[in-house]
Amino acid sequence: MPTLGQNQYGKAECRVVRITRNGATHRIKDLNVSVSLSGAMDEVHYSGANATVLPTDTTKNTVYAFAKEHGIDSAEQFGIHLARHFVASQEPIHRARVRIEEYAWERIATCEGEPAPHSFVRKGQETRLAQVTYDGSAWEVVSGLADLVVLNSTDSEFRGYVKDKYTTLPEAYDRVLATEVTARWRLNWTDDAQPAPDWDASYARARADLLQAFAETYSLSLQQTLYRMGSRIIERQDDIDEVRLSLPNKHHFLVDLEPFGLKNDNEVYVAADRPYGLIEATVLRDGCEARIPVDLTNL
């Protein structure tokens, strides 16, 4: 006769972003929370009776509500709050396992070297890119980066757009703007007779220009932000003629906390990974032609 062995259930990968607002200076905690519960769950497996089952949707809601009620001082402390709650509040639950991944952010430095109060760059995600083409007489060098995740927790709007009978998106007057930057820039060094650029310094300057433009732009659209980012590189670096940017909109939606008697004052968001808006464009130096492919994956 078969018998039931080890079992558990729960909600996996609840993405929760908690923004603590202290005046103009904000603090961000970005977690991926997975909860697993086990206990007196034999009957639901044998007969389908759900009398001892706390819905996994409730588990998800608890993560978001606790982000508001308790804040997130650390991943460990947040997990302690959650695990204690599930075991103490539900008699059939004998064990709760909470696994948390935390995505670290650091403040973007302004041109003056001061930390921006509400603009952040994700730590450790960036990949440096380079493509070198040589035909025996001339060089084409395209530098770039991918996986550079940035976020503004305010100073972003999206309103005044076209609406038709299928439009349900409400206008946003204060939203989180986040994207994962893929950028390529083409240098105008083509000849061995020219002094070659300092590649590391050139890369560092372009990266800094991208970040500073993102941090300093009051965004009315992601397209506007993209253009400012590319323009900053062209304006400040004479050896770069073309910048190609691909910016997916990493949507952050406010969680409806009213069912739990809580007010969400632009504090607790769900980070949605798909579907997403994808904004792409090239910014050129006046008089130059575009050479970087539109589809950056084919570069």
Side-chain angles (χ1 to χ4, degrees):
M1 172 119 181
T3 186
L4 181 68
Q6 173 63 34
N7 63 89
Q8 58 275 323
Y9 78 107
K11 207 70 163 181
E13 300 198 56
C14 301
R15 284 296 311 278
V16 57
V17 177
R18 175 62 153 97
I19 296 173
T20 302
R21 301 168 186 270
N22 183 16
T25 300
H26 299 174
R27 175 175 166 266
I28 185 170
K29 299 291 279 187
D30 186 351
L31 307 182
N32 191 20
V33 182
S34 294
V35 177
S36 182
L37 309 175
S38 57
M41 301 294 166
D42 289 9
E43 193 55 35
V44 67
H45 290 86
Y46 291 137
S47 69
N50 293 313
T52 61
V53 175
L54 182 73
T56 63
D57 189 71
T58 303
T59 305
K60 174 202 69 177
N61 291 341
T62 305
V63 171
Y64 294 128
F66 271 42
K68 168 65 176 182
E69 292 181 308
H70 298 280
I72 302 175
D73 291 326
S74 67
E76 291 84 357
Q77 189 59 49
F78 191 62
I80 289 168
H81 283 313
L82 288 169
R84 180 184 293 119
H85 166 79
F86 289 121
V87 173
S89 66
Q90 301 294 325
E91 184 177 345
I93 296 174
H94 302 162
R95 182 173 178 267
R97 184 189 68 204
V98 182
R99 289 176 171 170
I100 298 176
E101 299 171 348
E102 179 172 357
Y103 307 113
W105 298 80
E106 60 186 355
R107 298 185 187 281
I108 296 174
T110 65
C111 290
E112 293 76 26
E114 297 297 323
H118 54 252
S119 298
F120 305 83
V121 57
R122 248 261 297 269
K123 290 183 179 178
Q125 293 298 303
E126 165 197 358
T127 302
R128 182 170 171 174
L129 307 169
Q131 174 179 287
V132 178
T133 305
Y134 182 57
D135 64 4
S137 60
W139 297 91
E140 182 178 84
V141 178
V142 178
S143 298
L145 56 82
D147 306 320
L148 185 66
V149 181
V150 293
L151 181 149
N152 276 332
S153 53
T154 190
D155 286 354
S156 175
E157 304 178 15
F158 187 57
R159 55 190 176 88
Y161 44 81
V162 174
K163 302 178 182 68
D164 66 12
K165 65 179 182 179
Y166 301 113
T167 302
T168 59
L169 183 73
E171 294 194 339
Y173 292 80
D174 185 8
R175 67 171 181 169
V176 169
L177 180 68
T179 186
E180 183 175 312
V181 180
T182 298
R184 306 290 203 284
W185 49 91
R186 179 172 55 83
L187 292 102
N188 53 32
W189 178 79
T190 60
D191 191 339
D192 282 320
Q194 300 172 277
D198 180 332
W199 301 111
D200 286 344
S202 175
Y203 177 84
R205 287 194 301 270
R207 182 184 186 276
D209 287 338
L210 289 170
L211 292 176
Q212 289 169 3
F214 179 83
E216 295 170 8
T217 299
Y218 188 103
S219 180
L220 301 176
S221 67
L222 187 52
Q223 287 91 332
Q224 174 203 17
T225 300
L226 179 153
Y227 182 73
R228 295 281 177 85
M229 293 167 74
S231 296
R232 178 73 66 99
I233 293 177
I234 297 294
E235 291 165 357
R236 297 196 174 195
Q237 300 198 50
D238 293 338
D239 59 350
I240 294 176
D241 285 345
E242 176 184 2
V243 181
R244 177 76 193 167
L245 287 157
S246 178
L247 303 183
N249 198 332
K250 299 181 75 67
H251 298 293
H252 287 64
F253 299 112
L254 282 169
V255 178
D256 182 9
L257 299 178
E258 290 187 2
F260 324 125
L262 300 171
K263 184 179 180 181
N264 194 351
D265 295 319
N266 288 352
E267 294 171 304
V268 179
Y269 299 81
V270 56
D273 64 344
R274 64 194 66 178
Y276 53 85
L278 180 59
I279 312 302
E280 298 180 301
T282 298
V283 181
L284 296 163
R285 187 174 303 282
D286 191 32
C288 294
E289 295 182 356
R291 297 182 189 172
I292 300 175
V294 171
D295 183 359
L296 294 180
T297 61
N298 292 329
L299 188 61

